[in-house]
Amino acid sequence: VEGIMEYTYDEVKLKLNELLDSKSSFNIIGLGGELLEVSQLLEKEIEKKGMRCRIYTRNRAATATALAWTGPGLAALAGIAAHNLATYNPDYEIGRAVVDQKIYVTYKK
């Protein structure tokens, strides 16, 4: 998406409150294997501000759909659907891109 700013995690740490208060969407790049920890920290900070978020792995649904006619594929699709219902109408979505080692933080409301 054009216009989305990209930051390193060190940059985000310095301005996270500002980004969340202004309801900005942004990407965090160059995470080098820290996707899980950084996404959990983002979730905690978003919830501290009284907002809700959904964390997901980007392209997970496409992979599960490709495997849909197998047992594991059906289970993955059911898990995705249950997760989406449990996190219905989030303020933010946090998308982890495993291959790119990047997190997409998208304001949804």
Side-chain angles (χ1 to χ4, degrees):
V1 176
E2 194 172 324
I4 302 287
M5 295 297 297
E6 292 195 332
Y7 304 99
T8 65
Y9 181 56
D10 287 338
E11 292 170 326
V12 167
K13 283 191 288 189
L14 295 174
K15 60 176 19 182
L16 184 57
N17 279 324
E18 175 188 332
L19 290 166
L20 296 178
D21 288 343
S22 65
K23 299 179 168 120
S24 298
S25 293
F26 55 95
N27 300 332
I28 306 173
I29 58 173
L31 289 168
E34 297 177 338
L35 286 174
L36 184 61
E37 300 92 285
V38 173
S39 61
Q40 289 173 338
L41 194 144
L42 288 168
E43 177 182 32
K44 180 179 169 186
E45 293 303 314
I46 289 168
E47 289 177 348
K48 268 192 205 176
K49 294 197 171 284
M51 295 187 277
R52 297 177 51 178
C53 66
R54 171 186 298 147
I55 299 176
Y56 68 100
T57 302
R58 289 174 64 98
N59 300 320
R60 180 179 70 162
T63 302
T65 302
L67 299 171
W69 298 111
T70 67
L74 291 173
L77 285 174
I80 292 168
H83 175 73
N84 287 346
L85 284 174
T87 56
Y88 179 73
N89 197 24
D91 296 280
Y92 273 98
E93 283 187 345
I94 300 170
R96 298 181 299 222
V98 177
V99 173
D100 300 333
Q101 290 296 296
K102 184 175 183 176
I103 292 179
Y104 297 80
V105 183
T106 308
Y107 185 73
K108 300 300 285 182
K109 290 190 173 179

